[in-house]
């Protein structure tokens, strides 16, 4: 079976954040990095060229496919901030209703800028995502 396209790398998280061109996006990335570190207690690690991950988990699906992936994290993309709340099984709608301006994907939360949302609710979502993930797969710190 094919490996995940996105793998952990040795790239420096601080260098990656410092290289974010847009000043608001860079400042938001610095804030999110502090939040994720504080909430998880884990050190960040780059996953692929653009995702900052905290913790990881090993999964094996019924199909037999298995692999490792970040437990939670974010990416300061040009279009928006993408927050990875894994694995996307839980219904967090009651929390999201209090968040502010956002969009969602299967296991991603898209925010234009942090001033659009309530940071306490972002923290609540990060915690809820980790708690949900840990009920399904063993999560290990990074």
């Amino acid at each position: 079976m094919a490996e995940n396209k996105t793998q952990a790398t040795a790239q420096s998280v601080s260098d990656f954040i410092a290289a974010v061109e847009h000043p608001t996006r860079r400042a938001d990335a610095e804030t999110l990095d502090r939040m994720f570190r504080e909430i998880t207690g884990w050190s960040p690690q780059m996953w692929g060229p653009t995702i900052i991950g905290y913790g990881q988990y090993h999964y094996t699906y019924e199909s037999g496919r298995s692999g490792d992936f970040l437990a939670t994290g974010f990416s300061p993309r040009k279009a928006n901030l993408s927050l990875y709340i894994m694995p996307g099984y839980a219904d967090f709608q009651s929390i999201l209703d209090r968040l502010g301006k956002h969009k969602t994907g299967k296991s991603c939360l898209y925010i234009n800028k942090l001033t659009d949302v309530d940071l306490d609710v972002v923290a609540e979502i990060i915690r809820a995502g980790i708690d949900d993930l840990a009920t399904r797969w063993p999560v290990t710190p990074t």
Side-chain angles (χ1 to χ4, degrees):
M1 290 197 180
E3 287 188 355
N4 281 340
K5 215 166 57 169
T6 305
Q7 298 284 330
T9 73
Q11 180 183 359
S12 165
V13 171
S14 58
D15 289 351
F16 171 72
I17 292 173
V20 173
E21 289 183 28
H22 193 280
T24 300
R25 187 75 74 230
R26 185 174 50 255
D28 285 353
E30 291 167 349
T31 297
L32 285 172
D33 181 42
R34 282 190 302 273
M35 285 181 68
F36 275 92
R37 286 173 190 251
E38 182 179 303
I39 292 163
T40 66
W42 303 328
S43 298
Q45 180 175 25
M46 293 299 300
W47 285 77
T50 62
I51 300 173
I52 302 169
Y54 303 80
Q56 67 180 39
Y57 68 103
H58 182 79
Y59 62 86
T60 302
Y61 296 138
E62 287 182 17
S63 66
R65 179 181 169 91
S66 65
D68 297 297
F69 205 62
L70 60 119
T72 191
F74 72 96
S75 181
R77 302 196 185 277
K78 286 188 182 198
N80 52 41
L81 297 164
S82 300
L83 279 66
Y84 298 91
I85 311 299
M86 302 299 172
Y89 299 128
D91 178 8
F92 296 141
Q93 193 58 53
S94 64
I95 302 171
L96 292 171
D97 288 343
R98 297 182 282 114
L99 178 61
K101 186 177 176 184
H102 71 279
K103 293 181 182 176
T104 57
K106 185 173 182 180
S107 58
C108 292
L109 174 63
Y110 303 105
I111 298 169
N112 289 331
K113 55 190 178 301
L114 291 182
T115 56
D116 289 342
V117 296
D118 182 326
L119 292 181
D120 290 335
V121 177
V122 172
E124 186 178 345
I125 290 168
I126 294 167
R127 280 188 217 97
I130 293 167
D131 291 347
D132 178 62
L133 177 63
T135 67
R136 300 164 198 289
W137 310 106
V139 176
T140 56
T142 50

